[in-house]
Amino acid sequence: KAGVTQTPRYLIKTRGQQVTLSCSPISGHRSVSWYQQTPGQGLQFLFEYFSETQRNKGNFPGRFSGRQFSNSRSEMNVSTLELGDSALYLCASRPLTSGGRETQYFGPGTRLLVL
Amino acid sequence: DQQVKQNSPSLSVQEGRISILNCDYTNSMFDYFLWYKKYPAEGPTFLISISSIKDKNEDGRFTVFLNKSAKHLSLHIVPSQPGDSAVYFCAARWNSGNTPLVFGKGTRLSVIA
């Protein structure tokens, strides 16, 4: 089975611009989560989508948004970029069966640099 | 408010010895815990998990111990190998998977040959 894929892998933007990142989950996985990783901050949860609906949301400003398509692929968008948005953005997928005792698998991430 | 804490930012261990990575949590509702390993420029890779109904889970060289009363878990790697050098993240979840994973800030393990 192919793993979680993310595009693009690297991105350079300037302040004020917007950016869209894409994630394709593992086949059969219906839940997609997004995380931001910055140095010294670990992985901070952005949001989770399941069946095209946002089911959980982290503590990020409204400039960060996402969506999920019927094929479970997901995109996240960051508008009005700030220097502090420079980070590694990670996407993760899981089947989301009952019980929740399941592993979440991560993609390689998109490295965003805001200048 | 950091619910999952990894208080050691880094750890150095000699090859062949035991590596012990620690993680503390504050939310007593957490019922499932995972460890991930991350190399630079890659996404985190799942290592091992443990449910709150257990106190130990073993997978090859990796063993995770859970002490619920102390709200503490640890990952033991025996024997440590140079390829184990990476950042290790502890993560936790509650409410039977309906809530997102909460991660610690990671511990950088260096295994010295």
Side-chain angles (χ1 to χ4, degrees):
Chain A
K1 248 186 192 178
V4 179
T5 58
Q6 293 187 244
T7 56
R9 292 292 312 275
Y10 303 93
L11 208 47
I12 300 175
K13 292 285 187 178
T14 56
R15 275 182 301 173
Q17 286 187 309
Q18 71 151 16
V19 68
T20 299
L21 312 181
S22 180
C23 171
S24 292
I26 291 171
S27 177
H29 286 195
R30 297 169 63 193
S31 163
V32 173
S33 296
W34 289 89
Y35 292 83
Q36 181 196 65
Q37 186 192 10
T38 52
Q41 290 301 313
L43 279 73
Q44 295 186 288
F45 173 74
L46 281 155
F47 25 66
E48 179 183 19
Y49 286 87
F50 175 75
S51 291
E52 303 177 64
T53 302
Q54 188 181 88
R55 67 191 300 267
N56 283 302
K57 187 177 189 305
N59 190 24
F60 277 81
R63 300 185 297 108
F64 292 82
S65 63
R67 59 177 175 167
Q68 187 181 32
F69 303 95
S70 58
N71 61 358
S72 294
R73 193 177 69 83
S74 177
E75 288 181 347
M76 68 162 280
N77 185 276
V78 188
S79 62
T80 320
L81 283 165
E82 301 177 359
L83 295 179
D85 296 333
S86 295
L88 180 67
Y89 290 88
L90 292 158
C91 168
S93 74
R94 58 177 173 141
L96 198 57
T97 56
S98 61
R101 301 275 194 266
E102 59 201 13
T103 300
Q104 195 161 282
Y105 295 91
F106 284 84
T110 294
R111 172 75 61 186
L112 172 65
L113 177 60
V114 182
L115 301 175
Chain B
D1 174 33
Q2 208 183 336
Q3 298 186 70
V4 178
K5 300 177 185 177
Q6 293 178 256
N7 292 319
S8 299
S10 62
L11 175 68
S12 282
V13 171
Q14 273 202 305
E15 181 180 7
R17 307 292 288 266
I18 183 171
S19 294
I20 300 176
L21 296 101
N22 294 304
C23 179
D24 297 297
Y25 60 95
T26 58
N27 188 344
S28 58
M29 299 292 290
F30 285 142
D31 57 11
Y32 192 57
F33 304 87
L34 304 90
W35 283 93
Y36 284 84
K37 177 170 76 171
K38 187 180 183 301
Y39 294 117
E42 293 183 14
T45 303
F46 169 73
L47 265 180
I48 192 168
S49 62
I50 188 167
S51 163
S52 59
I53 61 173
K54 294 185 173 182
D55 53 19
K56 176 183 172 182
N57 189 25
E58 206 169 340
D59 183 3
R61 297 186 298 114
F62 302 92
T63 303
V64 56
F65 296 92
L66 175 62
N67 182 335
K68 288 186 290 293
S69 60
K71 294 194 183 70
H72 176 84
L73 66 156
S74 60
L75 174 69
H76 292 209
I77 307 173
V78 184
S80 300
Q81 299 172 354
D84 296 330
S85 297
V87 178
Y88 289 77
F89 290 98
C90 169
R93 164 182 286 150
W94 63 286
N95 194 17
S96 299
N98 289 318
T99 55
L101 282 177
V102 179
F103 283 83
K105 294 187 177 183
T107 296
R108 181 177 302 279
L109 173 66
S110 299
V111 180
I112 305 159

